[in-house]
Each structure stands twice: as structure tokens, then as C-alpha cells.
Amino acid sequence: MEVPFLNNVNDAIVVIVLDLSKPQNVLPSFLQWFDLLKTAVGNIKGLNELGDDSSGDSVGVPLLIVANKYDMFKNQESSKRRSLTQALRFMAHVKMA
């Protein structure tokens, strides 16, 4: 896969849309897109500019996580819904989204 960017990402905002109709794929999909975006932005900005951030992980541009198809997800067991939403919230904090 490829992430399309121009040579300047200073004004970019990235949106990752996750499909809740397949809960088992939500976190792997998020991590896959996050890694692709981090590599693409790193190549544009220069890897040294992103560096190692001890406070967390970052793409290097503002990131918004959107979960769609909630209407299909809301019928899952309460514990499954809670686990996935907590995992997504945790990933958002760790990845600085």
C-alpha cells in the first residue's frame, strides 16, 4: 500500500477510518495504517526530525481516528464493545492521535 502525500505535510491532518463491522480487524488495521503513515511522513520530513520520542509514538502530523459502521458493532456483547473501545482509546493515547 502507498500513502499519497505531496512534498509538504506541515498543514496535513491524517484521518484513519476503521471498520467496526469486523472487530477482529480493527487494531491490526490501525497499526498497519499507522506504520505506513509514520514511514511516509518520516520520508517526507526527514527521519531525524521525527526521532525517538520517549513520551510515546507519533506519526509526525495530527492524526484523527474514526470508527465507522457502529450500527453493526452495537449488537456485540457489552464486554466485547468495551474491550475494543478501551483498546482503541489506549492506542490513541500511546500513538498520540
Side-chain angles (χ1 to χ4, degrees), residues 5-77:
F5 275 115
L6 300 176
N7 292 332
N8 185 356
V9 294
N10 293 333
D11 296 328
I13 296 174
V14 177
V15 178
I16 296 178
V17 180
L18 301 171
D19 183 0
L20 292 177
S21 69
K22 298 177 183 175
Q24 68 277 10
N25 295 337
V26 170
L27 290 177
S29 294
F30 170 73
L31 293 172
Q32 176 185 10
W33 282 109
F34 182 86
D35 290 340
L36 284 168
L37 289 167
K38 187 170 182 175
T39 301
V41 172
N43 289 338
I44 294 169
K45 284 188 163 187
L47 296 175
N48 294 336
E49 207 174 305
L50 289 178
D52 290 330
D53 186 357
S54 61
S55 64
D57 206 359
S58 174
V59 172
V61 295
L63 176 63
L64 177 65
I65 301 170
V66 176
N68 70 347
K69 297 188 182 177
Y70 182 78
D71 56 329
M72 299 174 92
F73 179 68
K74 70 180 179 182
N75 296 328
Q76 296 284 328
E77 290 179 29

